[in-house]
Amino acid sequence: GCYLGMTVPVLNEIHLTKEGTELEREVLTAYYLPGEFQQNPPVPMDPEIHITERAPLRVLTRVFYGVTTEETILREISLFWELLGSTDVVLRETFLVASYENPGVPERRNELWFICRA
């Protein structure tokens, strides 16, 4: 019953298939709760919505602009791997895509986040 507004970034957790050439179909989309709801989050009325507290993450990030399709995300992952070179510092199968603007914005700002290992 509460309007929480839109918070940014909107995070999409994506996973590569075992072959590493495609994205898994299941994507987790996460929104930050505004500060005033942090201590006492409202209970979601939709059973598909869950409130989850995520532990702090360390990430390596790279900005890219435009529409986030499977093709553009796979291209950005590949480009980021090229820039990083051979490393075991980050996970290789799970990534986050952070979007900072409305999906209708043609050249919207996004970030690809590589999650650092603990």
Side-chain angles (χ1 to χ4, degrees):
C2 297
Y3 176 71
L4 303 180
M6 181 57 114
T7 59
V8 292
V10 174
L11 297 178
N12 288 292
E13 183 177 309
I14 58 174
H15 303 272
L16 290 179
T17 58
K18 289 178 186 167
E19 299 79 28
T21 57
E22 296 179 329
L23 301 180
E24 292 281 349
R25 294 292 146 220
E26 180 119 356
V27 174
L28 175 68
T29 299
Y31 303 89
Y32 286 100
L33 279 176
E36 63 266 25
F37 296 105
Q38 290 288 321
Q39 294 301 317
N40 189 20
V43 177
M45 295 167 29
D46 184 330
E48 295 283 318
I49 297 174
H50 306 278
I51 295 179
T52 304
E53 185 172 338
R54 177 173 249 168
L57 294 174
R58 286 186 54 220
V59 299
L60 298 178
T61 185
R62 183 171 185 275
V63 174
F64 68 100
Y65 294 89
V67 180
T68 52
T69 64
E70 182 170 3
E71 181 182 338
T72 60
I73 292 170
L74 287 171
R75 183 180 67 239
E76 292 299 326
I77 289 171
S78 178
L79 289 170
F80 205 171
W81 278 125
E82 282 182 39
L83 291 170
L84 287 177
S86 179
T87 182
D88 286 335
V89 174
V90 295
L91 301 179
R92 296 185 86 61
E93 63 284 335
T94 302
F95 307 93
L96 294 167
V97 175
S99 297
Y100 290 87
E101 294 162 319
N102 183 307
V105 175
E107 286 300 310
R108 70 180 177 171
R109 177 180 170 232
N110 307 290
E111 292 176 349
L112 178 60
W113 294 5
F114 279 20
I115 302 168
C116 295
R117 295 185 188 277

